[in-house]
């Protein structure tokens, strides 16, 4: 009988220990997802900061189609007006608006790089080559940051819907809503393809 009592006591201790460890999973994983989102924003801001120098360099070195430069400038301006706070990560409308503005800038930059192909003298300048390398590196960092955010949101949303998180959600964290995943069309997620090899033009 004594062994049964010890077994029950040990089981109770294990359950309490497990409960204490799992009770913090939701806020911990929420913080991780918000930190991952901050990194996404950081990389998007890095890209936005490159745009004015890129536009000025292109404008100063070639007779460009004004529509292309205008599209890049306007897309960059719109990106600056669409803000998304951590509290908005569970709002599908705000997330879609944010992603739409970022996708428009990605598309405008892609068109700009296609036009640049007509100007080998521009591609040969050191300043433009440096900006192109920074843009390409930033697009790669954006892709990595987005993947990290997607994974962090998956973990957090899973916490809210599965045992034991679903219990803690109903008892302690009822104000937490699932976060929205990034929903941009695959074409908008592509890194702009920039070929700075020898042009036949």
């Amino acid at each position: 009988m004594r062994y049964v009592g010890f077994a029950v006591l040990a089981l109770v201790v294990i359950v309490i220990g497990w409960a204490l460890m799992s009770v913090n999973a939701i806020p911990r994983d929420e913080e991780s997802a918000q930190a991952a989102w901050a990194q996404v924003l950081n990389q998007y801001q890095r890209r936005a900061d490159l745009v004015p120098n890129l536009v000025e360099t292109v404008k100063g070195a070639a007779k460009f189609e004004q529509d292309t430069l205008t599209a890049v400038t306007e897309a960059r301006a719109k990106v600056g007006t669409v803000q998304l706070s951590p509290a908005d990560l569970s709002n599908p409308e705000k997330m879609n608006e944010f992603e739409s503005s970022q996708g428009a800038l990605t598309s405008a930059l892609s068109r700009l790089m296609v036009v640049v192909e007509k100007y080998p003298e521009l591609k040969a300048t050191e300043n433009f080559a440096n900006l192109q390398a920074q843009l390409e590196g930033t697009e790669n960092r954006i892709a990595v940051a987005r993947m990290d955010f997607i994974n962090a949101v998956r973990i957090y949303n899973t916490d809210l819907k599965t045992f034991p998180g679903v219990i803690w959600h109903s008892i302690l964290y009822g104000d937490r809503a699932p976060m929205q995943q990034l929903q941009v069309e695959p074409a908008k997620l592509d890194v702009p393809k920039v070929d700075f090899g020898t042009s036949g033009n």
Side-chain angles (χ1 to χ4, degrees), residues 37-108:
W37 180 247
Q39 188 58 22
V40 171
L41 292 180
N42 182 46
Q43 297 307 326
Y44 276 138
Q45 185 60 52
R46 177 185 171 94
R47 178 174 71 172
D49 290 344
L50 287 173
V51 170
N53 286 339
L54 184 64
V55 168
E56 285 305 310
T57 299
V58 167
K59 190 188 298 182
K63 296 279 188 183
F64 254 75
E65 291 88 340
Q66 190 58 41
D67 288 348
T68 303
L69 289 173
T70 300
V72 171
T73 302
E74 289 178 351
R76 196 260 186 189
K78 185 173 182 183
V79 160
T81 64
V82 180
Q83 301 298 319
L84 198 68
S85 70
D88 295 327
L89 293 177
S90 60
N91 186 319
E93 291 82 16
K94 287 186 178 275
M95 182 67 89
N96 287 338
E97 182 184 7
F98 181 87
E99 283 296 287
S100 176
S101 69
Q102 292 294 341
L105 180 55
T106 298
S107 179

Side-chain angles (χ1 to χ4, degrees), residues 41-180:
L41 292 180
N42 182 46
Q43 297 307 326
Y44 276 138
Q45 185 60 52
R46 177 185 171 94
R47 178 174 71 172
D49 290 344
L50 287 173
V51 170
N53 286 339
L54 184 64
V55 168
E56 285 305 310
T57 299
V58 167
K59 190 188 298 182
K63 296 279 188 183
F64 254 75
E65 291 88 340
Q66 190 58 41
D67 288 348
T68 303
L69 289 173
T70 300
V72 171
T73 302
E74 289 178 351
R76 196 260 186 189
K78 185 173 182 183
V79 160
T81 64
V82 180
Q83 301 298 319
L84 198 68
S85 70
D88 295 327
L89 293 177
S90 60
N91 186 319
E93 291 82 16
K94 287 186 178 275
M95 182 67 89
N96 287 338
E97 182 184 7
F98 181 87
E99 283 296 287
S100 176
S101 69
Q102 292 294 341
L105 180 55
T106 298
S107 179
L109 286 169
S110 295
R111 289 195 306 274
L112 177 66
M113 292 306 172
V114 169
V115 174
V116 164
E117 287 298 310
K118 300 177 185 176
Y119 299 88
E121 70 279 4
L122 171 60
K123 295 191 298 180
T125 65
E126 182 179 348
N127 191 29
F128 183 80
N130 180 48
L131 287 168
Q132 179 273 328
Q134 290 184 60
L135 178 62
E136 187 176 60
T138 299
E139 292 290 354
N140 290 332
R141 289 186 190 95
I142 288 171
V144 171
R146 288 172 62 96
M147 285 190 296
D148 290 345
F149 175 70
I150 288 168
N151 189 51
V153 168
R154 178 188 59 77
I155 292 169
Y156 170 72
N157 287 348
T158 300
D159 283 342
L160 297 181
K161 298 175 183 177
T162 58
F163 183 83
V166 69
I167 295 173
W168 297 125
H169 185 227
S170 63
I171 296 172
L172 299 175
Y173 307 117
D175 60 331
R176 264 54 168 218
M179 293 183 186
Q180 295 296 308

Side-chain angles (χ1 to χ4, degrees), residues 23-32 156 173 176:
V23 71
N24 290 321
I26 290 175
R28 181 187 64 235
D29 292 335
E30 180 184 39
E31 287 296 320
S32 294
Y156 170 72
Y173 307 117
R176 264 54 168 218

